[in-house]
Amino acid sequence: NVRRMRDLRSVALASGGRHQGSSPPLPFPCQTTYGEGEPESARIDDVIPAWRFLTPLLVALGMGLGLAHALELPPRMGYDAELYMAVTSTLYRLFGLVGGPIQVGALLAAIVLTILVRGRPAFRMTLVGTLALALSLGLWAALVSPVNSEWFEVLRSSPEAAPAAYLELRPRWEYGHLAAFAAWLLGFS
């Protein structure tokens, strides 16, 4: 954008402040018209700021879910089986319904941003962040999702055994969330 501003300023000065061409001068340096021979990189430069805004926003929203789990972990580890089952089976329903799409959207936005900044100084750090987000979702899928499925099955098939099943799988569910949060936090940084 700085180079484009200098080019526009040079054209304006050379023409005595009058714009020559089919379109009027642009009031903002981030706006550009594309004519014949305009490089594709100029178009990419114009969309990168939007992705640099959207991606951290989605990642931050997704990180809030993991932070909530991390902050709630100490008290939940002390709950008896009945209370733990009641809290866990009711409190977190919207985490998957709302949070899941936010986190998947954050990863997709990070992938797009990584592709857009290829060949630029920000590429390596953007790639590392994107890989950390993918790792976080992979950890959740490997550690937490199977526990959710097992708890759902126990609640459906034999509700009387549910408190014991919740207690037995609690460490994997809790620490799985903590591991996924740590990777997500790395992806945000």
Side-chain angles (χ1 to χ4, degrees):
N1 281 340
V2 172
R3 181 183 49 133
R4 199 171 292 133
M5 284 175 55
R6 278 190 231 132
D7 292 345
L8 288 172
R9 189 176 308 130
S10 299
V11 169
L13 291 174
S15 65
R18 294 177 310 281
H19 179 73
Q20 299 178 2
S22 61
S23 30
L26 300 168
F28 304 106
C30 62
Q31 295 178 345
T32 301
T33 55
Y34 301 104
E36 293 289 322
E38 181 80 25
E40 182 67 27
S41 64
R43 293 181 183 156
I44 290 173
D45 287 344
D46 288 342
V47 299
I48 288 175
W51 287 98
R52 282 189 175 153
F53 172 78
L54 177 66
T55 303
L57 175 65
L58 290 173
V59 173
L61 289 171
M63 189 169 52
L65 303 167
L67 180 60
H69 277 290
L71 294 174
E72 296 164 349
L73 185 141
R76 276 196 320 259
M77 291 302 283
Y79 290 169
D80 65 40
E82 292 287 331
L83 179 59
Y84 186 76
M85 183 190 77
V87 168
T88 307
S89 64
T90 58
L91 186 62
Y92 299 106
R93 288 185 182 158
L94 290 177
F95 275 58
L97 188 63
V98 176
I102 288 172
Q103 288 189 320
V104 170
L107 177 60
L108 293 175
I111 290 168
V112 169
L113 183 59
T114 302
I115 292 167
L116 290 174
V117 299
R118 219 180 34 235
R120 299 165 196 260
F123 175 73
R124 286 185 183 166
M125 290 305 291
T126 306
L127 178 62
V128 168
T130 301
L131 292 174
L133 296 179
L135 173 63
S136 174
L137 292 181
L139 287 169
W140 183 88
L143 300 173
V144 177
S145 184
V147 174
N148 288 343
S149 297
E150 190 164 333
W151 282 348
F152 178 78
E153 183 58 33
V154 168
L155 284 171
R156 190 186 63 72
S157 63
S158 53
E160 68 283 347
Y166 269 73
L167 211 52
E168 176 188 338
L169 295 171
R170 172 169 55 189
R172 180 175 174 175
W173 194 82
E174 295 290 351
Y175 295 118
H177 274 105
L178 197 59
F181 170 65
W184 195 269
L185 181 61
L186 177 65
F188 181 73
S189 341

